[in-house]
Amino acid sequence: MTPEVAGLIALLIRSQRSAHVLEIGTSNGYSAIWFADAVRDTDGRVTTVETDVERVEAAVRNIEGAGVSAWVTVVHDDGGNVLAPTLDASVDLVVLDAERPAYADYWPHLRRVLTPYGVVAVDNAVSHGEQLTKFRALLERESGKAGKRVRGASPGGR
């Protein structure tokens, strides 16, 4: 994740006062450090998930070195395994920066765990768009349904 993207997501965390941020795809912990700095201001927490043990170890070292480990939990597991038991409506922001083809399989859990007005941020959505074809199509179908529900529920049936 670039500094610009990490900074933008940190701004989003602060502006929506996120209490629980879930990052799937920790890598070396760089973005988790940005997010932890932001949740310090919101009295929140970051849970970051990584499948690769060497990356987990590097992330823990980097997060501790940055002095933000009190705001971050690093989990060595698959994102889907972490999403499945996560409580309904308990996550304000999910950042996806992992195995892009798996995102479509995450969708039912993402919808369930997000709080009202929760946000899913997808890193590399443009540069790796070909890997997100299935996920993008799923989101387009879902947004079409949401739009129909909203239009049908408006005063006067418009």
Side-chain angles (χ1 to χ4, degrees), residues 25-38:
T26 309
S27 189
N28 64 6
Y30 177 79
S31 53
I33 292 168
W34 278 84
F35 306 159
D37 183 61

Side-chain angles (χ1 to χ4, degrees), residues 1-2 20 31-32 36 46 48 53 55 65 68 71 73 96 115 129 132-133 145 147 153:
M1 185 170 293
T2 65
H20 185 194
S31 53
V46 175
T48 185
V53 69
R55 288 181 174 179
V68 294
W71 294 273
T73 301
L96 299 177
T115 58
L132 293 166
T133 304
K145 290 178 192 175

Side-chain angles (χ1 to χ4, degrees), residues 51 63 89 114 139:
T51 59
I63 290 165
L114 281 173
L139 294 178

Side-chain angles (χ1 to χ4, degrees), residues 13-27:
I13 290 167
R14 288 181 174 101
S15 66
Q16 74 173 24
R17 308 289 307 156
S18 297
H20 185 194
V21 175
L22 174 62
E23 177 186 38
I24 299 177
T26 309
S27 189

